[in-house]
Amino acid sequence: MSVGDSDIAHWQSWIGRAETREEVIEGESLRRFAAALGEDLDVERTPPSLAHWAFFLPVVPPDQIGVDGHPRRGGFLPPVSLPRRMFASGEMRFGEPLRVGAPAVRTSTIRDLRHRRGGSGELVLIDVEHVIVQDGAERVVERQTIVYRDVGGRVAAVEDKGEAVQGEVWTPGPVDLFRFSAVTFNSHRIHYDQPYVTREEGYPDLVVHGPFTAARLFGLAARREGRPAAFSFRAAAPLFVSQPVRLAAGEAPGSYRAIRCDEVTAMEAKISL
């Protein structure tokens, strides 16, 4: 699919657009999020990894859902015509943890939109900043990069090399993917609709959510080093359902990786304390 200069100019007119939402940080929603991650259910005492992702979820009626399960484009996000959408990377810094039972306000702003053309085809990248304020103080500042791309070719199946692994082994199954989709109200069909993901999007099987992997890496880092003051991650390759993933520290201080069973690094993350 070709993207023209007029398309880019139109979509870039969304830069600076902002929306604000207020929501109570409700304990049971947070507990379900912790359960989906496999973390402590006493969320009043120990907040789960990346707890803010349990809130401020997109809610639209059925007639505003696109064929891929995402909300239709052209509202807060521009109507980018490239069909595939993925959460590519994120950077965040944290103040005090969100207080359960109290309201919080999130302001979201589109900060940038870039067009790239390369060997993998057309790409459009959108940077969205989210700032969550509670009790008059910033609790989370996050910058997400969302990438849109063309259909592309089929993705090869991942071969499990069956080698001995070091680090924490995580094998997300279909129930895990369903529960994470449920607690984040994520209806993207690549995570639960096996015929769709294989026939329409060309993947060999259900795709593990990027935020699910990021939260697991955050949890590993927090258990080893203490609660991070900042966290960033970048997705590099897809993970697929029911295949073992090794979550391990990287070579650089504060770095962590999610490594597929074919030894390809699927995600890199970094923390600072």
Side-chain angles (χ1 to χ4, degrees):
M1 177 179 292
S2 179
V3 173
D5 292 343
S6 60
D7 296 320
I8 299 301
H10 176 56
W11 301 335
Q12 286 178 332
S13 69
W14 263 253
I15 294 174
R17 181 170 297 198
E19 66 175 15
T20 298
R21 293 179 55 186
E22 181 172 342
E23 191 167 326
V24 173
I25 304 304
E26 191 266 324
E28 290 309 306
S29 296
L30 199 55
R31 211 174 323 279
R32 287 189 286 269
F33 186 75
L37 296 181
E39 295 189 354
D40 190 346
L41 299 186
D42 187 357
V43 296
E44 290 81 5
R45 180 177 61 86
T46 306
S49 299
L50 305 181
H52 63 287
W53 280 350
F55 303 98
F56 308 104
L57 307 177
V59 178
V60 300
D63 62 358
Q64 293 183 29
I65 296 292
V67 68
D68 62 356
H70 277 305
R72 293 188 185 275
R73 304 167 189 180
F76 173 66
L77 290 172
V80 176
S81 56
L82 296 173
R84 302 291 183 255
R85 170 183 164 180
M86 301 294 288
F87 189 171
S89 64
E91 299 178 2
M92 56 198 84
R93 63 180 189 272
F94 307 99
E96 291 298 314
L98 291 166
R99 184 162 61 88
V100 176
V105 175
R106 188 185 77 172
T107 300
S108 303
T109 308
I110 297 176
R111 292 300 187 192
D112 194 19
L113 185 147
R114 306 177 298 286
H115 176 227
R116 299 286 184 268
R117 186 180 288 118
S120 59
E122 304 274 1
L123 296 173
V124 170
L125 299 95
I126 300 178
D127 292 337
V128 182
E129 180 188 67
H130 302 292
V131 179
I132 300 175
V133 174
Q134 189 180 49
D135 300 328
E138 288 185 354
R139 301 301 178 100
V140 183
V141 177
E142 177 178 13
R143 193 177 184 102
Q144 298 179 353
T145 297
I146 301 167
V147 62
Y148 297 84
R149 63 175 180 82
D150 212 341
V151 175
R154 298 194 66 82
V155 178
V158 172
E159 180 184 356
D160 187 346
K161 293 186 175 181
E163 299 178 359
V165 296
Q166 297 178 349
E168 179 179 297
V169 178
W170 172 49
T171 307
V175 173
D176 299 306
L177 269 59
F178 168 81
R179 279 158 57 98
F180 192 81
S181 287
V183 297
T184 57
F185 207 55
N186 183 343
S187 54
H188 193 185
R189 293 170 67 182
I190 66 171
H191 306 306
Y192 61 87
D193 187 337
Q194 210 267 354
Y196 171 83
V197 74
T198 55
R199 297 172 188 170
E200 301 299 326
E201 300 225 8
Y203 290 107
D205 212 333
L206 299 177
V207 179
V208 179
H209 314 67
F212 199 175
T213 307
R216 294 288 304 216
L217 287 173
F218 181 96
L220 176 63
R223 291 192 298 275
R224 291 189 175 187
E225 303 190 47
R227 183 177 182 271
F231 175 73
S232 62
F233 69 92
R234 182 181 65 84
L239 292 170
F240 299 108
V241 68
S242 301
Q243 292 193 317
V245 181
R246 176 160 46 101
L247 307 176
E251 296 180 0
S255 66
Y256 290 84
R257 295 192 298 161
I259 305 167
R260 297 194 316 199
C261 55
D262 62 352
E263 296 301 310
V264 169
T265 296
M267 182 173 287
E268 297 178 326
K270 186 172 180 59
I271 68 163
S272 58
L273 300 173

